[in-house]
Amino acid sequence: MTSQTPVISSDLIPSELAPIIEALCAVSKDVAKIIAKGSLGQSLAHQVGENSDGDGQKALDVLSDEMFAEALKSTSVRWYASEEQEDAVLLNEAGAYALAIDPLDGSSNIDVNVSIGTIFSIYAAKDEAEASFLRPANEQLAGGYIVYGPATALVVTFGKGTVQFVLNPDSGLFELAEEAMQIPATSKEFAINASNFRHWTKPVSAFIDDCLAGVDGPLEKNYNMRWVGSLVAETHRILTRGGIFLYPRDGRSGYENGRLRMVYECAPMAFLVEQAQGGATDGKTPIMDQAADTLHGRAPLVFGSSELVDRVAAYHDKAGA
Ligand code: F6P
């Protein structure tokens, strides 16, 4: 299904990882095409099961997982860990890398035509599958996402800045659009699912209260709010124009560590954001210094403009949280 001619080529991509990035981009073109058909195509938004986290799996979640795994078999990916599968699987015995992927994040947005994405992270493979992924986020060799929105774009870091390539519909190629994305140090935009406010911890409530108090409050600015409900879309907005995103731990059962998965979501997003001069913490401790305990383990996630992320950490310190 994927094309044989290269769809991405750049000396910003380390040559040893280039075939993996090429495979991800080639599949993403096919995924983007399927998504672009919307309700004209096969029904992709219907639930076909549950993943190991108990989240509903849509047909397109499962299909894209199969497409990425198949294409990566011919690369040097040894271990493949997918948010859609319970355990990591062996793709290529001789491969040197371990790749974690959320094949289609935000899939509840498929049927409403809102941006969704594929998130991935690459490590050096170890002998054991799990050990290849349960390690500090700062051991990632690459982290990135492909956003399927009005434009399809690859945003990726190899530890030397955050780079954006946009899929040009005319050429069919992912073309370099931005060599060094930079998150503004401050902003007047926050993103949080406010329907959970009664479950938040004190430092999170205090920070959001102060944002809502606007110019008359301690932050002395009028804030705007956005919540897409699609992590890739929120990250893309923040990488583009700044802001802060919070999916904190809260008092609901099952949300003791927030909602987002450390391996599939928090680690790659933290890598991208830090490489674009932003901050990413669990509320106070940098995500890049943390490791998941289990493949599907969750972590609270706060990221974005460094000044705002530091403020949230200060609210936690003040509360002794
Ligand atoms: O992890 C899946 C996801 O859809 C993210 O993309 C998004 O940030 C989050 O969940 C939205 O969660 P909620 O529905 O609780 O607002």
Side-chain angles (χ1 to χ4, degrees), residues 105-106 193 227 229-231 245 247 259-261 265:
D105 185 79
N193 184 337
W227 187 252
S230 176
L231 179 63
F245 170 100
Y247 211 120
R259 174 183 169 110
L260 304 173
R261 289 102 185 136
E265 298 172 305

Side-chain angles (χ1 to χ4, degrees), residues 21-39:
I21 301 300
E22 169 66 27
L24 291 169
C25 288
V27 173
S28 76
K29 280 182 66 177
D30 293 333
V31 173
K33 238 185 237 166
I34 296 171
I35 294 169
K37 277 199 178 150
S39 50

